Amino acid sequence: MEALADAADAGTPDDSKLLYGYAEMKYRMAGGGKCAICRSHVRHVVPVFAKREDGKEVAYDCLCQRCLVGEIGLALEVELRIGDASVRYTRDADKAQGVTRTFVAPKAKGANSGA
């Protein structure tokens, strides 16, 4: 996990690739998983957390690409999270391009807090 945090601080153009690179490494070491909704094979096992419009929060061990896209379309916010690093999809129904994806870098451990 320390390597994940160090690489996130590097500030690469597409930081979300870091999360998927880590998931690929986990796949090569331990194999994939099964989608929590449709039970199809999932290569990159990344926990998914969704916030629905009714305030309900749902957590999945992992989702296949098809179910993930469906969840992004239905939920107000979907977050893929490994440790402190995450990729967050937010939906705004009022915009023509309704879904926004942002990478949330992990907090650096042992950093001086300025105290």
Side-chain angles (χ1 to χ4, degrees), residues 43-100:
R43 182 179 182 112
H44 296 149
V45 178
V46 178
V48 178
F49 303 90
K51 293 180 185 173
R52 302 275 173 83
E53 289 184 22
D54 61 2
K56 184 177 178 183
E57 294 186 19
V58 183
Y60 303 101
D61 290 334
C62 64
L63 294 178
C64 68
Q65 190 65 30
R66 181 181 61 196
C67 292
L68 176 62
V69 170
E71 193 65 40
I72 290 169
L74 293 174
L76 290 176
E77 181 178 295
V78 175
E79 186 174 37
L80 286 75
R81 189 182 319 148
I82 296 178
D84 290 333
S86 64
V87 175
R88 186 174 298 140
Y89 296 88
T90 53
R91 183 174 57 87
D92 186 354
D94 296 334
K95 293 184 179 178
Q97 184 68 13
V99 177
T100 304

Side-chain angles (χ1 to χ4, degrees), residues 1-23 25 82 84-86 103-109:
M1 291 311 257
E2 188 174 328
L4 181 64
D6 291 342
D9 290 337
T12 58
D14 190 6
D15 288 331
S16 62
K17 287 183 180 179
L18 175 68
L19 205 65
Y20 299 113
Y22 182 77
M25 181 188 71
I82 296 178
D84 290 333
S86 64
F103 175 76
V104 180
K107 296 174 183 77
K109 293 182 180 180

